[in-house]
Amino acid sequence: MSTVERSGETRADRKEPAYLRIAEELREQIASGQLDPNDPLPPERDLCVDHNVSRMTARRALTVLESEGLIYRSATRGTFVSEPRVQLRLGSFSQEISRAGKQPGAQLIWSETQSATTGVARALGIATDADVYALQRLRSSNGEPLALETTYYPSDLVPGFLDGDLSGSLWTEIRGRFGVVVARTTARLEVIALDTTLAEQLGARPASSGLLLTRRTFTADGRCMEYAQDVYRADRVSLVIDRAVDE
Amino acid sequence: MSTVERSGETRADRKEPAYLRIAEELREQIASGQLDPNDPLPPERDLCVDHNVSRMTARRALTVLESEGLIYRSATRGTFVSEPRVQLRLGSFSQEISRAGKQPGAQLIWSETQSATTGVARALGIATDADVYALQRLRSSNGEPLALETTYYPSDLVPGFLDGDLSGSLWTEIRGRFGVVVARTTARLEVIALDTTLAEQLGARPASSGLLLTRRTFTADGRCMEYAQDVYRADRVSLVIDRAVDE
DNA sequence: CAGTGGTCTAGACCACTGG
DNA sequence: CAGTGGTCTAGACCACTGG
């Protein structure tokens, strides 16, 4: 290829990059309902022709919409409009999904007794190397994976916890079996990029956005009974937070 | 250009895309402290040579790190390591920034009396077309813009509100002038892509990630006294949430 | 004026899938 | 086997800035 020749476009829109203009146009079509959830978008090569751009530019426009959670791509099938995000109230995954009339899922990935690393020990307020129960679960709604949840519990507080039922609400399980009642929770939330492993587990693209919720749960007497790191698919979830204001 | 010729790389790493491999390597250098905040990264054209890739691929690696909030770019100066994210406790911007030993800022963008749109009316629990005070402020820490905050108040609850001091904590102002005390807040949080306007106001890149916090604040007698839409720079902020659990 | 990142081209080859 | 998105090349021109 030699010199880049600008095609005879109008000179008016010189400021707005082509990929943003195309993204805008497709976004409009989705917002207006011309395209419904799971409807296919035009193939990338068609978008190139329609908008008179190269494929890299058309792809860039789609990547913008993908990062907004408006579309999803399948390498062999095409590009499609996403379903609306799932609303989750903070702190009760199963309950929230059920309320929305969907089927909550909790697939156990692993569970084991560990000796606490310094980070986990500090979070739980126990001695380093003390025994903790750790488990990882993939949380889903109607079979769609939404979050990967890794939780830690001091073993002395909930002895034999891992032998129980780990397929539902763990708070309910803990209250029922050990009489331990949850009183307060602290969480830090940030947007991260999903690494290759996480992306694969969540069925998302590597380097796409995730919501990392690092949280601690306390009993009425102020003891930390749970330390958790939850990673949500940022494109599929919105979080609802209710809170009393302590002034 | 004619046929693409693969250079004599090792065949081992055929699976991992080049842009992820390069991103990984740079991420490591930042995490390990070889590169400090505000240190420059190598120019893109140097990365091309060092890693034997085209510029598009080198740029893609940097874009991954940028979306993680690890680096920032300046079109004329280069690419640099970001400072750590600012931690914000939900619901008290000024207070949180001060606690971190930094200077909170609230630059008034506009303020006016409006008649409530259906959306605002529903959120505030008032009649459509009732008068509301609306204002928009750019919140910053040590001069760095972190959030754009748009808030709405029922005019009958806080008459003359806009004539007061709008440069600090609005909750404090409202309590002091009108004796209205905040009791409870509800928020919905989601990750969005910043549109051109928002990105410009926040000094971020178009289509980069933002955190949209849509929230309502209630008085002790259950009246909604504030409806707000706050957009944070997702790459610069982490949110802290404290909450009693109501079981 | 040299150097920087931002946008864009016109292709290439790949793996994978579904008819 | 046709069609899809995923990765990548080897360039181009641009605006802008700081010495």
Side-chain angles (χ1 to χ4, degrees), chain A:
Chain A
M1 174 188 39
S2 52
T3 319
V4 174
E5 8 174 48
R6 286 301 198 140
S7 50
E9 299 271 347
T10 49
R11 268 90 221 280
D13 48 355
R14 264 296 158 80
K15 278 294 152 46
E16 178 94 337
Y19 73 94
L20 287 178
R21 188 171 34 76
I22 298 168
E24 175 75 27
E25 193 180 313
L26 293 170
R27 192 186 293 114
E28 205 61 39
Q29 287 177 30
I30 295 171
S32 72
Q34 287 175 56
L35 288 169
D36 285 325
N38 299 309
D39 277 358
L41 272 73
E44 296 176 353
R45 288 159 178 88
D46 288 9
L47 286 176
C48 298
V49 175
D50 294 351
H51 294 86
N52 196 24
V53 295
S54 72
R55 194 160 153 238
M56 286 297 271
T57 300
R59 278 183 62 73
R60 193 163 173 189
L62 291 174
T63 299
V64 168
L65 299 180
E66 188 184 28
S67 82
E68 292 174 27
L70 287 177
I71 62 168
Y72 62 92
R73 289 152 144 174
S74 157
T76 58
R77 299 193 304 122
T79 303
F80 305 88
V81 177
S82 298
E83 305 216 18
R85 298 189 191 201
V86 177
Q87 268 197 30
L88 285 181
R89 196 166 303 266
L90 211 58
S92 56
F93 189 95
S94 318
Q95 195 177 316
E96 236 358 62
I97 299 291
S98 302
R99 257 191 18 171
K102 299 187 175 176
Q103 186 64 37
Q107 181 197 341
L108 188 65
I109 308 291
W110 53 258
S111 68
E112 60 186 25
T113 305
Q114 302 176 346
S115 61
T117 60
T118 47
V120 170
R122 192 178 317 122
L124 288 174
I126 58 176
T128 306
D129 295 333
D131 274 359
V132 295
Y133 297 131
L135 65 149
Q136 189 171 76
R137 307 191 302 169
L138 185 65
R139 309 304 303 262
S140 59
S141 163
N142 276 0
E144 178 192 18
L146 290 183
L148 192 72
E149 171 194 272
T150 312
T151 42
Y152 303 87
Y153 303 87
S155 65
D156 66 320
L157 198 66
V158 288
F161 179 52
L162 296 184
D163 303 328
D165 177 15
L166 304 176
S167 65
S169 163
L170 298 180
W171 288 2
T172 303
E173 173 80 1
I174 286 172
R175 188 178 45 209
R177 279 182 64 195
F178 306 100
V180 172
V181 177
V182 163
R184 201 168 174 78
T185 178
T186 302
R188 192 180 74 245
L189 186 145
E190 55 195 324
V191 176
I192 60 168
L194 301 177
D195 64 31
T196 320
T197 313
L198 271 170
E200 192 169 355
Q201 288 177 289
L202 289 170
R205 174 181 311 283
S208 67
S209 282
L211 274 171
L212 169 63
L213 197 68
T214 309
R215 57 184 172 82
R216 296 196 294 160
T217 311
F218 299 89
T219 61
D221 55 345
R223 170 132 195 227
C224 181
M225 53 82 71
E226 177 187 55
Y227 172 60
Q229 292 174 299
D230 303 337
V231 179
Y232 294 82
R233 286 190 55 154
D235 58 342
R236 296 294 306 131
V237 160
S238 69
L239 289 178
V240 175
I241 304 153
D242 284 328
R243 207 173 128 270
V245 174
D246 25 67
E247 275 195 298

Side-chain angles (χ1 to χ4, degrees), chain B residues 1 17-19 52-57 60 76-77:
Chain B
M1 173 188 38
Y19 74 93
N52 195 26
V53 294
S54 73
R55 193 158 154 239
M56 285 297 270
T57 300
R60 192 165 174 188
T76 57
R77 299 193 305 122

